[in-house]
Amino acid sequence: MRLAILSDIHANLPALEAVLADIDGAGVGELWCLGDVVGYGAQPDECTRLVRERCDLCLVGNHDLAVLDELDVSAFSPAAAAAVRWTQETADPSTLDFLRELDPADETRDVALYHASPRDPVWEYVLWPDQAAECIAIQAARVSLIGHSHVALFFVMAQDRRPARSQAVELDDAARGAQAGAGTRLDLSEGRWLINPGSVGQPRDGDPRAAWLELDTDSWEATYHRVEYEIDRAAAAIEETDLPEHLARRLYVGQ
Ligand code: ZN
């Protein structure tokens, strides 16, 4: 099946609309979202409605859980915590009802899905090869997808070096990894992979364009996509609210 993978939309409606238009042109079978539909941005209800309509599957992320009061915001940055409070005060009850039904992981498919990481689906940022190797060792499928860091990247380990699930992780067995710019194609036919599509609504890898990943689970290929969107619209929507202004400015630099 050909899939479109989205993550970390963060209430950025112009970015989500641009990504969905790009996905429409790609003719994929299903859309999967790895969580954090809300938080940071100014249009949580509009984004949640679109995700509900368009996505075949959606995980819950740490910002979604914080808005639901199911995660303490003490570990959040001040701006992130302010956005959680603003979203709690302004979101429609139907938005919260949708998010409340979601899980942070799905290990029931050919591809395992986690909002953050295989060993901590809610909170761990996977950015380094030795850390990725420990995650790859315990992931529930040969190919796994994660979001959360807002950085488009991938890690791979040779299949024959995989410790069995019940065995101790071989700590010196580092995974190879790299950030993945627009157009990067991966041949996933061999090895064990941990893949982050990047963020739709708040990229942090220096490329401000909205990110999504095309994944073909028949040919086992993946392609990274980036889409221009009207950042001015997303920034203006934030500036019209009580959300911290910094959340608008960071969109222009992709950080
Ligand atoms: Zn996020």
Side-chain angles (χ1 to χ4, degrees), residues 8 10 36 62-63 115 148 150:
D8 297 278
H10 284 297
D36 274 359
N62 56 306
H63 288 257
H115 173 66
H148 189 55
H150 301 204

Side-chain angles (χ1 to χ4, degrees), residues 63-113:
H63 288 257
D64 305 321
L65 288 168
V67 166
L68 294 169
D69 258 337
E70 291 177 26
L71 191 72
D72 183 6
V73 294
S74 60
F76 279 49
S77 70
V84 166
R85 284 191 295 274
W86 179 85
T87 307
Q88 287 174 328
E89 286 160 13
T90 58
D92 191 85
S94 66
T95 293
L96 305 182
D97 289 345
F98 174 76
L99 297 174
R100 203 172 281 118
E101 298 302 313
L102 308 177
D103 293 314
D106 184 340
E107 296 186 323
T108 65
R109 297 157 195 275
D110 290 353
V111 176
L113 312 170

